[in-house]
């Protein structure tokens, strides 16, 4: 596993973004782990977050794209900090764009989007915190495609939860590729998280002990991708 992935796993725990215990997800599933990117709140955390996303995007998609699209609301700061990090790490200027939940009908920036406007021929990398079911793509892909004649290169999320999506068979990321025709990748997978943290101290404590590991295994027995 690449060093930046190991660092990112520990960073999520240190930032109180990735937690282990008993959680009820939006889908209604009872999960032994939960990720909340809204817990990145300080300048140094956001700077590091952008760097991890930029490295993962560079590794997976290279430099041949023009714009980062982060869906509202959590995707907005992620897209901004990743565009900054991409400039600093790789010397390439990438534009950022996000959608609005409510269309703005006045001013110079009226419309459905924040940041850069889409232009015909733009190559777009979409960026989100986590995708459990892939449902968010049902709204954002048509919105992006409807704005201009663009190509969506791929999607990057923080964590691949590695559980079945809406279809009940494949992972949400695999379903996205099958449905929309572009790659969907994650900085790390849950398998990598467990591999790195199981019975290993992080922040002076073991966050995945035998009890949590058993709960995770049971969860994947029920919801994991076959």
């Amino acid at each position: 596993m690449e060093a930046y992935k190991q660092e990112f796993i520990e960073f999520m725990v240190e930032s109180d973004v990735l937690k282990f215990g008993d959680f009820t997800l939006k889908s209604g599933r009872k999960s032994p782990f939960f990720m909340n990117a809204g817990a990145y709140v300080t300048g140094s955390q956001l700077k590091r977050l952008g760097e991890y996303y930029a490295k993962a995007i560079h590794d997976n998609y290279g430099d041949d794209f023009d714009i980062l699209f982060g869906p509202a609301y959590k995707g907005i700061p992620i897209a901004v900090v990743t565009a900054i990090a991409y400039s600093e790490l790789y010397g390439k200027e990438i534009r950022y764009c996000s959608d609005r939940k409510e269309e703005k009908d006045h001013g110079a920036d009226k419309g459905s989007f924040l940041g850069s406007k889409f232009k015909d021929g733009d190559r777009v990398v979409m960026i989100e915190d986590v995708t459990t079911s892939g449902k968010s793509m049902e709204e954002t892909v048509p919105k992006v495609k409807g704005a201009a004649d663009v190509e969506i290169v791929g999607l990057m999320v923080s964590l691949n939860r590695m559980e079945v999506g809406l279809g009940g068979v494949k992972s949400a990321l695999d379903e996205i590729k099958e449905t929309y025709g572009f790659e969907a990748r994650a900085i790390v997978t849950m398998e990598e998280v467990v591999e790195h943290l199981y019975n290993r101290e992080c922040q002076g404590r073991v966050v995945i002990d035998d009890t949590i590991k058993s709960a995770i295994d049971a969860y994947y027995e029920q919801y994991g991708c076959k």
Side-chain angles (χ1 to χ4, degrees):
M1 193 191 313
E2 294 90 333
Y4 79 84
K5 289 189 174 189
Q6 296 179 30
E7 292 171 9
F8 181 64
I9 291 167
E10 294 180 15
F11 171 59
M12 286 193 289
V13 175
E14 291 165 8
S15 302
D16 217 23
V17 165
L18 181 60
K19 299 181 179 183
F20 299 90
D22 296 304
F23 306 95
T24 301
L25 305 179
K26 189 176 181 179
S27 63
R29 295 175 184 174
K30 303 285 187 182
S31 174
F33 59 93
F34 182 73
M35 198 203 118
N36 172 28
Y40 296 119
V41 292
T42 70
S44 61
Q45 286 175 336
L46 290 166
K47 182 177 187 296
R48 289 180 66 187
L49 179 65
E51 290 167 353
Y52 290 125
Y53 264 98
K55 288 175 183 177
I57 290 169
H58 188 265
D59 276 4
N60 284 275
Y61 301 123
D63 288 332
D64 188 17
F65 67 99
D66 309 289
I67 193 161
L68 284 168
F69 177 78
Y73 290 102
K74 288 180 181 175
I76 297 174
I78 298 173
V80 171
V81 296
T82 303
I84 294 169
Y86 219 92
S87 173
E88 292 180 345
L89 291 175
Y90 304 110
K92 182 177 173 72
E93 292 289 16
I94 301 293
R95 291 143 46 216
Y96 104 90
C97 178
S98 296
D99 59 334
R100 300 178 192 270
K101 292 290 188 181
E102 299 84 24
E103 185 162 338
K104 186 178 179 185
D105 61 1
H106 61 281
D109 62 340
K110 67 181 179 180
S112 302
F113 297 98
L114 294 167
S116 175
K117 294 187 182 302
F118 288 111
K119 298 183 291 192
D120 288 349
D122 274 343
R123 288 169 57 81
V124 182
V125 171
M126 302 181 76
I127 194 165
E128 280 202 297
D129 56 343
V130 66
T131 298
T132 301
S133 68
K135 189 168 178 60
S136 59
M137 291 294 106
E138 292 180 358
E139 295 180 14
T140 53
V141 170
K143 192 178 286 189
V144 170
K145 290 274 197 178
D149 183 15
V150 303
E151 178 185 352
I152 299 177
V153 176
L155 167 71
M156 182 61 67
V157 300
S158 289
L159 177 67
N160 180 356
R161 290 183 57 100
M162 299 177 64
E163 59 194 85
V164 291
L166 294 174
V169 178
K170 297 181 178 181
S171 76
L173 297 188
D174 286 340
E175 285 184 353
I176 287 168
K177 181 179 180 181
E178 187 175 86
T179 303
Y180 303 107
F182 55 81
E183 294 290 339
R185 306 279 175 81
I187 303 176
V188 293
T189 67
M190 199 58 205
E191 184 178 22
E192 289 170 326
V193 170
V194 174
E195 174 192 330
H196 185 64
L197 292 179
Y198 179 45
N199 278 341
R200 178 179 295 176
E201 282 197 5
C202 182
Q203 290 285 285
R205 61 195 175 93
V206 174
V207 292
I208 300 183
D209 57 15
D210 289 340
T211 302
I212 295 293
K213 174 69 161 56
S214 295
I216 292 172
D217 290 344
Y219 184 78
Y220 281 112
E221 278 291 316
Q222 185 171 6
Y223 297 116
C225 302
K226 307 301 183 189

